[in-house]
Amino acid sequence: AIGVATAQTLTLHYQDRPPYSSRADDGRVSGLVATPAERALNAAGIPFRWALTPSQRQLALIQSGKGPHCGVGWFRTPEREAKGRFSRALYRDRPLAALMRDAVALPQPLRVDALLADPRRRLLVKEGYSYGPALDEAIAGAASRPERTSVDPLQMARMLLAARADWMIVSPEEAETLLAPGLRLVEFADVSPGPTRHLYCSADLPDDWLVRIDRALAATAR
């Protein structure tokens, strides 16, 4: 399914973000969202090529509406839906947790609303990223403005180690790739199962392509 791009070839954008999506030495892209996306596109008979693309560049390409583009593993939000189209779910995250500097003392049980209400605990977030509607709203109402960055999660973890912030929100699935001496993963007592991750596609993606993708995803979910 990976070949020379044509006007009718879907560009499937991904980030190097284990365990969600990463490229192996043999060139294959796989992971918790990449594998079901590839399986669905193959089942739907849609030609595509993988492209390693930073998240902000993905947004720009998808929301421009020019050409068939899809990003793998995006959360569904009203703002994004107004500028693009979403497939059925590829994967549902486990409840989000906090990656925290060891030096930060915490009450137990840990509640995300209490942590966001404490101006001494500096949150680090990824620019343009959604943590799901509930957490996005909670972050917007936090006691202090979060630190924002465009770097990848591994570099964000290094920023915590450098004490440029105290904590960041992570999925437990990728936490094992980020943990290092000086950091710990802390579960929240008040966070429900995580949001679903989808293909986020340009508005001019052919209607029948999205229908076929969703049909293939529904079949594999049974």
Side-chain angles (χ1 to χ4, degrees), residues 49-171:
R49 66 180 185 91
W50 286 106
L52 178 62
T53 311
S55 59
Q56 292 301 300
R57 178 62 177 159
Q58 288 190 36
L59 278 178
L61 288 167
I62 293 164
Q63 295 180 349
S64 73
K66 297 177 181 177
H69 295 276
C70 289
V72 177
W74 286 83
F75 291 152
R76 193 171 198 154
T77 68
E79 294 79 11
R80 292 173 184 167
E81 198 144 26
K83 299 178 182 179
R85 309 172 72 185
F86 284 90
S87 72
R88 289 176 61 101
L90 299 169
Y91 179 77
R92 180 180 288 278
D93 277 6
R94 291 161 55 193
L96 291 170
L99 187 66
M100 186 84 56
R101 291 197 303 121
D102 280 344
V104 178
L106 295 172
Q108 293 296 332
L110 181 64
R111 300 182 62 85
V112 68
D113 55 355
L115 194 54
L116 288 169
D118 187 343
R120 299 169 299 171
R121 311 304 183 206
R122 298 166 299 157
L123 172 63
L124 179 65
V125 299
K126 187 173 178 66
E127 191 70 52
Y129 190 78
S130 170
Y131 297 93
L135 274 176
D136 287 347
E137 183 177 350
I139 291 168
S144 58
R145 182 173 297 177
E147 297 286 334
R148 296 187 178 275
T149 181
S150 60
V151 301
D152 63 36
L154 184 58
Q155 290 174 293
M156 290 174 70
R158 291 172 180 156
M159 290 174 68
L160 296 186
L161 288 170
R164 293 176 60 183
D166 295 315
W167 68 290
M168 58 187 273
I169 299 168
V170 296
S171 63

